[in-house]
Amino acid sequence: MEIAKTYNPKAAEDKWYPYWMQHKFFKSEPDSREPYTIVIPPPNVTGVLHMGHMLNNTIQDVLIRRARMLGYNACWVPGTDHASIATEAKVVALLKEQGINKKDLTREAFLKHAWDWKEKYGGIILEQLKKLGASCDWDRTRFTMEEDLSEAVIDVFIDLHNKGHIYRGVRMVNWDPAGLTAVSDEEVIYKEVNSKLYYVKYKIENSDEWITIATTRPETILGDTAVCVHPDDERYKHLKGKRVIIPMVNRIVPIIFDTYIDLEFGTGALKVTPAHDINDSNLGVKHNLEVIDTIAPDGKMSAEAKFYIGEDRFIVRKKIAADLEEMGQLVKVEDIKNKNGYSERTNAVIEPKLSMQWFLKMDKISKPALENVLNENIHLIPEKFINTYKHWMENVHDWCISRQLWWGQQIPAWYDGKGNTTVCKTKEEAFAKLRMQNVELRIEDLKQDEDVLDTWFSSWLWPITVFDPKVIKNGKANANADLKYYYPTNDLVTAPEILFFWVARLIIAGYEYMDAKPFTNVYLTGIVRDKQGRKMSKSLGNSPDPLDLIEKYGADGVRVGMLLCSPAGNDLMFDESYCEQGRNFANKVWNAFRLLQGFEVSDKIEQLQANKTAIEWFGNKLSEQLEIINDNYSKYRMSEALMLTYKLVWDDFCAWYLEMIKPEFVDGKSLPIDKATYAASISYFESLLKIMHPWMPFITEELYHLINERKEKDCIIVAEWPKQSAVNSKQLAEFEASKEIVTTVRNLRQQKQISPKEKLELIEKSDTQNSFFDEAVIKLANLSALKYSKEKIEGAHSFMVKSTEFFVPLAGSIDAGAEKERIAKELEYNHGFLKSVQIKLANERFVQNAKPELIELERKKQADAEAKIKALEEQLKTL
RNA sequence: GGGAGUUUAGCUCAGCUGGUUCAGAGCAUCUGCCUUACAAGCAGAGGGUCGGGGGUUCGAACCCCUCAACUCCCACCA
């Protein structure tokens, strides 16, 4: 069979993913095994795969694949999030292209469009995940706005409302006067702009005195309901209890005192406009101020303003400044820089606006979520996030859960138009309830709250409702078999950006509704950045399309590339060259296979001692490394585990083991290999494939089948994770010593820089008796690390090795002096080491304070060093 | 403004309790080599005052202080 020199990833990808699906290897049902569960952080339905998803989901897939191989009942639940804001924006934009304005549609008609859109494009990202090799149980795919899941959200709202955790109140929102909608904080872009600071004087009531305030927004003067100064400000202490007259409108308002004021800024006096500034609003609540809304939703002055009605706020700003100047109340104007919020979508200046919203009280409900992270019931990985988490949880503010959108779960609150409200599931229920307060109520008059719930208010139930959406309704005692079996899940892999938005709330909901944590470990990935450290984003255009990368380097290559540069919790500076490295690795593995499969096996030949040594060595090496790899997995040090795997395969297996067992090449033909060595090699290769499988699922599956005949369901994806056996460290050490010698030989060859052809000529001419040659090779033979025994080598003038790597006889010789020098160096080193250990042991403080086992360790180090020195000295004598 | 984090070779990062197997890895670079599994390869080499300064200690990449740069989160200044 002719096998290509380079690995072709595409064929394996197209072949194995469907095969795995067909044999239901991803499927999971409750059984007697221990479960290992991950629920996917649901990507937005609107989303297309970006590098962040790529990283995230690769890590999850690695974890789940390894768990599967370790014999757990591995279950990875996929799904998508309805993402109200993002999706609604997309749908609105799409409709606009078709000439349809959202305002002209009824809620039902709009939702129909939205669902159509979701059906058409909503599955894209999940299809993309399959290309990556994600081994999700696709039969469990969920969507946060599915009927049952939505019902659970509504039930939770009602339940929390009944428990008194949900209330309705007035809050400042970011209002987009162009889009005529509230937008979330995330959709506000702050930009530094040049603006003007106007100093305006207000007259003190019943006095000739004036107070000067500084403002960037004079148009809001019409809505002022107080002037605020710092209680410690000597300039204004005498004004306690006084009132001021607002210019133009001549309203008389109090002077209030609050430490919120910055003494240094402006004049130290602040005009308070509770309707149009978030801080002023807070002050207003605190000091019980009147709220006068002078700016209409479209950004023009409202009737309440009394002046400039119907004119845009920016025009009014100029006009009022002129008018104030005319009245002699404008003291001066300064140029300053400040930050303005702009709407991400319309680029209009955001207007803070008060509106009625629903809130969830966070104080009580969040307690267990804090405790259980602090007591490590739930691990945050890396731990540095615990601090941030703690800080946030100790300062939680109530969560605004209503959104002025249509796409999402509509709030189950009902109004009778007469000021009566009730919260319940159905219109009929609401009617029955409100009827008691309002006997004349007709069911047609009943109105449901227009707003929908925040997306996070549905996704915070995700690890619960993906298994049993009805559990909220039925109570956790009546949870279905799935939920009982899979909950709590094991790992959550997500981005640190949403630690508060989502992770904290998942934990809260977990304790509130299941009385148990939703997961044990939270692995927080880094943010994928480009080489310049910029976050990868579509708007910057600096993000490669992951699917292009897969096309170019293969899914395995991209997975390896991604994880090679992703330390837990640190951002990763992604560069395509990592994928190249991943691809190269896949190719290396492919070629190791090509070598193995090309061997001619013979049961007639004896197994060489050198092969026995090599087999023993690699067995030890494999066990040694496997243990370290497993340990790194258990600490979620993914890139470390990957690098160790990489080196085990490339350096230890390919560069050393295979070179050693590779038969000699004689007369243009490779000699056959003995059966035992071949069998051992295949078995090792198989173990390595298994260890590589979580990282590189496709190539390993492909090779697993090429290397041996397999039954239909005998696939590496469900193969058993290799077990390590006892490690003979003495043999490992011996081998390391042999490697050193071989390296010395290589170095000598390097000095001459000869090509293989020249080398052959040299060999023929060379005198094998030259001293260097004997020395190096005799050592090798003695250590039996290599197959070329002294006799064999001495006997063969045409000596030479198979694939060149190990020895080349050289004209010229190694001088004994070099060896002496080397030993002398080593001696010096060991003396130094010994000295440092002795100092440590002589240090009273160390001896008194250190743990006994630590001291024991130091003593052992001391003894070892002494022995080593002795041995080296002996060696020096013999030279 | 509040909080957290980072700073170690050209790049991306390891460095557990302060000590000599600790100054490391991978990649990149440079030099040789078309070699019979693999040039997507092989062999070798060169790269670092561990951000700056100070301190504690017999001893500091590691602990303390300080300065600087960068990043993130939260709140946003009238």
Side-chain angles (χ1 to χ4, degrees), chain A residues 14 76 195 287 437 475 550 696 797 827:
Chain A
D14 290 346
W76 182 13
S195 60
H287 296 275
Q437 291 158 31
I550 289 177
M696 318 175 86
H797 269 238
L827 261 175

Side-chain angles (χ1 to χ4, degrees), chain A residues 583-635:
Chain A
R583 178 202 58 183
N584 293 357
F585 183 45
N587 194 237
K588 184 72 185 176
V589 175
W590 178 254
N591 277 291
F593 158 72
R594 284 183 62 219
L595 177 65
L596 285 173
Q597 68 83 38
F599 284 154
E600 185 195 331
V601 186
S602 159
D603 46 9
K604 289 191 197 101
I605 53 174
E606 283 281 305
Q607 188 177 26
L608 293 166
Q609 175 55 41
N611 286 2
K612 286 183 189 160
T613 310
I615 290 165
E616 193 195 343
W617 167 72
F618 192 75
N620 279 321
K621 193 76 196 174
L622 184 62
S623 286
E624 180 199 55
Q625 292 302 306
L626 186 55
E627 190 171 339
I628 303 173
I629 289 168
N630 284 337
D631 184 55
N632 276 292
Y633 268 113
S634 72
K635 290 174 179 147

Side-chain angles (χ1 to χ4, degrees), chain A residues 33-268:
Chain A
R33 289 174 298 164
E34 200 181 319
Y36 184 95
T37 323
I38 298 179
V39 290
I40 205 168
N44 290 353
V45 262
T46 58
V48 281
L49 199 68
H50 60 62
M51 297 307 287
H53 294 125
M54 193 86 168
L55 171 66
N56 228 304
N57 290 293
T58 304
I59 292 170
Q60 292 174 70
D61 196 45
V62 169
L63 292 171
I64 210 84
R65 281 181 188 269
R66 180 162 173 272
R68 196 178 284 122
M69 293 174 82
L70 283 168
Y72 292 99
N73 184 342
C75 178
W76 182 13
V77 184
T80 47
D81 189 298
H82 66 276
S84 34
I85 298 168
T87 310
E88 183 150 330
K90 277 234 163 122
V91 175
V92 168
L94 188 79
L95 289 173
K96 202 167 183 180
E97 269 173 37
Q98 300 166 1
I100 305 170
N101 200 324
K102 182 190 163 192
K103 275 189 287 188
D104 302 335
L105 292 173
T106 61
R107 187 178 190 116
E108 287 65 36
F110 176 81
L111 286 176
K112 169 108 188 17
H113 282 291
W115 276 107
D116 286 349
W117 189 91
K118 186 256 166 189
E119 291 312 320
K120 201 164 166 195
Y121 302 106
I124 292 180
I125 194 156
L126 298 181
E127 289 310 309
Q128 292 179 318
L129 284 178
K130 292 177 184 170
K131 293 260 184 299
L132 230 198
S135 59
C136 303
D137 182 352
W138 297 106
D139 292 343
R140 293 181 178 273
T141 304
R142 291 289 197 172
F143 174 54
T144 52
M145 240 169 85
E146 268 169 47
E147 210 179 327
D148 314 15
L149 272 75
S150 286
E151 195 183 346
V153 172
I154 297 303
D155 286 331
V156 162
F157 182 92
I158 294 168
D159 177 65
L160 290 173
H161 183 266
N162 291 343
K163 286 175 179 162
H165 293 311
I166 286 179
Y167 65 95
R168 201 166 176 233
V170 170
R171 190 209 184 203
M172 194 67 65
V173 294
N174 305 302
W175 186 261
D176 176 346
L180 291 179
T181 173
V183 296
S184 71
D185 292 346
E186 293 76 39
E187 292 171 299
V188 178
I189 303 162
Y190 286 92
K191 289 188 218 164
E192 186 139 296
V193 292
N194 293 315
S195 60
K196 292 188 173 5
L197 187 61
Y198 301 84
Y199 286 76
V200 182
K201 58 181 186 177
Y202 290 23
K203 192 166 193 309
I204 312 283
E205 187 194 24
N206 301 326
S207 153
D208 291 337
E209 213 183 321
W210 298 78
I211 182 168
T212 304
I213 54 96
T215 179
T216 51
R217 303 198 55 195
E219 72 277 13
T220 62
I221 284 174
L222 305 172
D224 284 358
T225 56
V227 165
C228 186
V229 294
H230 198 280
D232 298 336
D233 196 332
E234 294 298 335
R235 292 172 290 183
Y236 305 119
K237 270 199 169 156
H238 65 288
L239 296 176
K240 200 153 229 168
K242 294 276 171 65
R243 301 197 293 177
V244 298
I245 303 165
I246 304 293
M248 317 223 23
V249 287
N250 293 322
R251 184 165 45 241
I252 298 172
V253 302
I255 294 176
I256 58 172
F257 292 80
D258 200 291
T259 51
Y260 161 74
I261 296 298
D262 176 359
L263 289 164
E264 304 296 315
F265 192 89
T267 61

Side-chain angles (χ1 to χ4, degrees), chain A residues 524-535:
Chain A
L524 296 153
T525 64
I527 297 165
V528 184
R529 299 173 173 285
D530 67 9
K531 274 204 131 173
Q532 284 124 58
R534 297 173 308 178
K535 190 169 167 175

Side-chain angles (χ1 to χ4, degrees), chain A residues 501-520:
Chain A
F501 284 137
W502 195 46
V503 180
R505 286 163 185 167
L506 280 168
I507 301 174
I508 292 172
Y511 282 101
E512 185 70 17
Y513 287 99
M514 291 301 291
D515 218 2
K517 59 187 173 186
F519 32 70
T520 304

